């Protein structure tokens, strides 16, 4: 593990465990009401984007624990994972933006929570790739925390909306 990544190993170990546990709990919680969730147009993509945000945090943290890995390789791995998670977010945004009964401001607010972690990881990956490893790793740490917050917010919305 390269020196910049080595100093983040404890954070990465903690994030892998925490986000994996949370992702599992969210999947179980959502599966209880999956029939109701699937009746909605917007809830399935939002649920998928919340889980994708957690998987991004898990993936980025796990890649950060690979021994002997060059920092630039880590940046590329996180960039690829971010782009894949971003696809789920883009799909969720597109679905939310087509909602007829929601104001434009509400549409934007519904989309921001999922965009923030992806943007933080994207920024971090690019910074790591171009050689600003410490700044990039900090941005990715912020992305990890934002992924948890965004996933919890989106999951809460999904679970509450099912009961309306």
């Amino acid at each position: 593990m390269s020196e910049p990544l080595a100093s983040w190993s404890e954070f990465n170990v903690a994030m892998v465990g925490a986000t994996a546990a949370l992702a599992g709990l969210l999947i179980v919680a959502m599966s209880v009401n999956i029939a109701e969730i699937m009746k909605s147009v917007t809830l399935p993509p939002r649920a998928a984007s919340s889980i994708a945000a957690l998987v991004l945090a898990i993936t980025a943290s796990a890649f950060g624990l690979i021994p002997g890995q060059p920092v630039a390789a880590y940046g590329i791995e996180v960039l690829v994972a971010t782009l894949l998670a971003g696809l789920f977010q883009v799909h969720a945004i597109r679905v939310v933006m087509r909602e007829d009964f929601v104001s434009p401001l509400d549409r934007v607010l519904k989309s921001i929570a999922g965009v923030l972690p992806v943007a933080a990881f994207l920024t971090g990956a690019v910074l790591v790739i171009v050689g600003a490893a410490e700044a990039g790793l900090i941005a990715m740490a912020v992305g990890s925390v934002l992924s948890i917050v965004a996933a919890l917010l989106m999951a809460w919305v999904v679970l509450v909306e099912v009961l309306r």
Side-chain angles (χ1 to χ4, degrees):
M1 187 177 311
S2 67
E3 179 56 37
L5 289 174
S7 64
W8 285 90
S9 65
E10 288 184 37
F11 176 83
N12 285 332
V13 167
M15 288 307 297
V16 168
T19 53
L22 182 56
L25 288 171
L26 289 177
I27 289 170
V28 169
M30 289 179 192
S31 70
V32 171
N33 293 312
I34 195 68
E36 292 299 315
I37 291 170
M38 294 307 293
K39 290 177 185 176
S40 169
V41 174
T42 61
L43 294 182
R46 293 173 76 190
S49 69
S50 71
I51 292 169
L54 289 175
V55 171
L56 174 57
I58 293 166
T59 303
S61 295
F63 284 150
L65 295 171
I66 296 172
Q69 174 172 228
V71 177
Y74 174 64
I76 292 168
E77 293 162 355
V78 173
L79 178 63
V80 171
T82 301
L83 294 174
L84 292 172
L87 293 174
F88 285 92
Q89 188 56 45
V90 167
H91 176 65
I93 290 169
R94 291 182 70 199
V95 170
V96 166
M97 291 301 168
R98 290 191 297 243
E99 283 184 291
D100 292 333
F101 56 90
V102 177
S103 73
L105 178 61
D106 284 343
R107 292 178 193 161
V108 170
L109 292 175
K110 286 182 179 183
S111 301
I112 283 177
V115 171
L116 292 177
V118 173
F121 276 109
L122 183 61
T123 301
V126 170
L127 286 170
V128 166
I129 291 168
V130 301
E134 281 303 318
L137 293 171
I138 291 168
M140 288 185 210
V142 170
S144 292
V145 173
L146 288 174
S147 290
I148 291 172
V149 171
L152 288 172
L153 286 173
M154 286 186 270
W156 177 257
V157 168
V158 168
L159 294 173
V160 168
E161 288 294 322
V162 165
L163 299 176
R164 285 188 185 188

